[in-house]
């Protein structure tokens, strides 16, 4: 059932890290950021740009993980549907 699958996907939580594990992001299946953890050793007041880059990479990877997982899981359900059998629908 697609509705049940979507509900399951939306309720999932993912932990994604970047920068060799220096930054981790917890994100939901609805792409809501729940938490960002930063290891103290990555914080260098003289190099904020690197921290910003790693944060950006971590958030983007978290979003990509959710999107890819959702697409793969929904594809398992909808992949067998052939819309060409419904003329005029699209």
């Amino acid at each position: 059932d697609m509705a049940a699958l979507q509900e399951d996907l939306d309720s999932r939580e993912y932990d994604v890290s970047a920068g060799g594990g220096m930054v981790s992001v917890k994100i939901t299946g609805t792409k809501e950021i729940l938490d960002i953890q930063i290891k103290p050793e990555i914080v260098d007041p003289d190099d904020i740009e690197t921290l910003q880059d790693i944060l950006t990479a971590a958030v983007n990877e978290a979003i990509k993980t959710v999107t890819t997982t959702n697409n793969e899981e929904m594809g398992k359900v909808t992949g067998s549907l052939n819309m060409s059998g419904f003329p005029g629908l699209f």
Side-chain angles (χ1 to χ4, degrees):
D1 183 38
M2 282 182 48
L5 176 58
Q6 188 62 58
E7 186 175 323
D8 175 51
L9 292 171
D10 288 349
S11 69
R12 292 183 186 183
E13 292 182 1
Y14 303 84
D15 291 304
V16 179
S17 64
M22 291 289 116
V23 173
S24 62
V25 174
K26 181 177 278 199
I27 188 170
T28 68
T30 59
K31 300 178 187 167
E32 177 184 353
I33 303 295
L34 297 176
D35 189 42
I36 297 176
Q37 295 289 317
I38 303 169
K39 300 237 174 160
E41 53 268 28
I42 194 68
V43 180
D44 179 354
D46 296 324
D47 187 15
I48 296 300
E49 189 174 300
T50 296
L51 178 57
Q52 291 169 334
D53 291 345
I54 293 172
L55 280 169
T56 300
V59 170
N60 285 334
E61 186 61 31
I63 292 168
K64 180 181 173 185
T65 297
V66 172
T67 300
T68 300
T69 301
N70 287 353
N71 289 342
E72 288 174 356
E73 293 293 324
M74 284 303 235
K76 291 176 185 175
V77 174
T78 62
S80 62
L81 297 178
N82 182 352
M83 290 304 181
S84 64
F86 301 98
L89 185 60
F90 292 101

